Each structure stands twice: as C-alpha cells, then as structure tokens.
Amino acid sequence: PILVSLVHKEKGSMHMLDPSGDKDAKLELDECKEKITANLQRDIDWREMNEEDRERMVGPPHLTAMRDALAEVGNPRKTLKMIYETMGSLIEQLEEMLGMIGSGDEMRIEGGEGLKGESDDDQALSGVKLYKGETLLELTERWRFIYKRLYDPDEDRFDLSRIPDVHDNVRFDVLHNPHLGLTSTLEKLYSLAKGMADCVVPQEYGTTLAEK
C-alpha cells in the first residue's frame, strides 16, 4: 500500500505513452480467456478424453499440475453446474438470514465488527459477526454479483473468467466468516471452485510457452 501510494498517474502524462503494446497484449489475453471458456466447459469426463482433448483443455503433457487438476475435476461442465448450484444455495441461505434480521434491524456494532439487533438480548443478530465491518447485506450482494455473471442461461454458457473470483471470495469467507453457520456450504463450494481454479488460473496468460 505504501508503494502504491507513491505512484501518481497524471492524466496528461498517460496520453504520451504508446498504447499499441497494451492493445496487442489485451487482444492476446482476450483470446486466451475465450479459449479457456470454450474448452473448459465441455461436457466430457477426463477418463473419456483422448490426448487431443486433454491438450486442448490444459496444454501439453509436461504441464502435470494442470492435468492433475483436470483429472480431479473429472467433468468440467458438471463441476461448473455444481459450483453454480452451490452458489445459489449459499445465496438462498444468506437471504433467509437477511429475512430473519429484517430491513430495519441491521446495525453495525460499535467499532464496525459486525451486526446487532435493536436489543442487546437479540442473540441471533448479535451472533453474526462479519470481518472488517462488512454487513450481511453487503456479503450477500457480493455473492449475487458473481452468481449473475458466472452463467448466462440464455446462452447456456459459463464465464470461466469468474472462477478465480468465486475461489477468492469463498476462500475469504471460509477463513474470515466461519461463524455464519454456513461452513458446510462454503467448504463444498471451496472444494469445487479450487479444482476449477487450478485448471483456469495457470492458463489465463496462455497455455503454451509461446503464448505465455
């Protein structure tokens, strides 16, 4: 954060930089992401894939870590559907908790470390402690945002670029919000998301050495 604060961007100065390299790099990154999105949502099991299928999905044989990850995932399409369904279940549970709190009852605890009800005796509300003052509504909206962008029902298409977001967010909540009483759902989602992230993240800048 200290180093970031020392970097100052002048709007006028930025115009003097040659943007052509950035455009070329962005085009290549977009092509990589599109390839990942197309390949890693196929409804095919690892055991049924031939070598061409495996190389298309996670690259050449020497990329053993990604191949191991895909073998763990099994069928990427089914895993993506399970991720989506588990996220839906998580959001339903969060919305149920919000309903119990009520729109007029949500208040920050002094110091900003969670929520409480109107009464100090309201154990159900005072027990919901969220990390760094995030409210239950904000947490729910965070998951709704990713959920809506992960899958397009009209196109019947998953956006694989959202998988790292799912993984990062569920890891955050597993570590910092275990007291929500959603451990079972969060741990299931983490396991599914981590497997897919292990396939997606290493390929975001290319599969082959030439692409990287």
Side-chain angles (χ1 to χ4, degrees):
I2 296 173
L3 289 176
V4 171
S5 69
L6 296 174
V7 178
H8 179 67
K9 290 184 178 180
E10 293 263 348
K11 199 169 185 181
S13 301
M14 294 298 289
H15 288 304
M16 293 189 292
L17 299 175
D18 180 10
S20 60
D22 292 340
K23 289 180 180 178
D24 291 342
K26 185 179 184 305
L27 181 60
E28 290 184 15
L29 285 173
D30 289 343
E31 288 174 355
C32 287
K33 290 180 179 179
E34 180 59 32
K35 187 166 69 172
I36 295 169
T37 294
N39 291 333
L40 279 176
Q41 60 181 307
R42 295 177 60 200
D43 189 3
I44 183 172
D45 193 89
W46 166 263
R47 291 165 296 183
E48 298 170 0
M49 297 177 194
N50 56 37
E51 182 54 37
E52 185 179 345
D53 290 328
R54 293 175 179 180
E55 188 157 339
R56 185 183 299 115
M57 287 192 179
V58 287
H62 67 269
L63 299 176
T64 55
M66 283 191 288
R67 290 196 166 215
D68 290 345
L70 183 58
E72 185 72 24
V73 165
N75 185 311
R77 181 78 180 181
K78 288 182 179 178
T79 300
L80 287 167
K81 286 182 177 179
M82 290 173 66
I83 289 172
Y84 188 70
E85 290 168 1
T86 307
M87 288 175 67
S89 176
L90 174 63
I91 292 168
E92 286 178 4
Q93 292 174 70
L94 289 168
E95 288 174 342
E96 185 177 344
M97 293 171 70
L98 280 172
M100 291 172 63
I101 291 175
S103 59
D105 293 335
E106 188 177 7
M107 298 188 297
R108 289 181 185 267
I109 290 176
E110 186 177 352
E113 289 300 324
L115 306 175
K116 68 176 181 179
E118 294 179 351
S119 168
D120 290 337
D121 295 327
D122 193 340
Q123 296 297 322
L125 299 185
S126 62
V128 181
K129 307 277 189 178
L130 301 180
Y131 187 68
K132 293 296 183 183
E134 183 181 35
T135 68
L136 191 60
L137 179 60
E138 288 169 342
L139 185 147
T140 305
E141 287 299 325
R142 168 158 59 85
W143 279 109
R144 284 176 182 156
F145 180 87
I146 305 170
Y147 181 76
K148 289 178 181 178
R149 284 156 182 78
L150 177 63
Y151 177 65
D152 183 344
D154 294 329
E155 298 282 338
D156 188 26
R157 180 180 172 88
F158 289 93
D159 181 355
L160 274 291
S161 69
R162 297 291 172 180
I163 290 297
D165 297 335
V166 177
H167 176 253
D168 290 346
N169 276 268
V170 71
R171 185 174 183 273
F172 177 90
D173 286 329
V174 166
L175 289 173
H176 299 298
N177 295 315
H179 37 279
L180 283 173
L182 303 173
T183 301
S184 177
T185 304
L186 288 171
E187 287 184 348
K188 178 182 178 181
L189 181 56
Y190 175 76
S191 178
L192 293 166
K194 184 180 186 306
M196 283 304 302
D198 286 345
C199 295
V200 172
V201 173
Q203 298 189 77
E204 287 186 307
Y205 294 94
T207 301
T208 66
L209 289 175
E211 288 174 341
K212 291 180 184 296

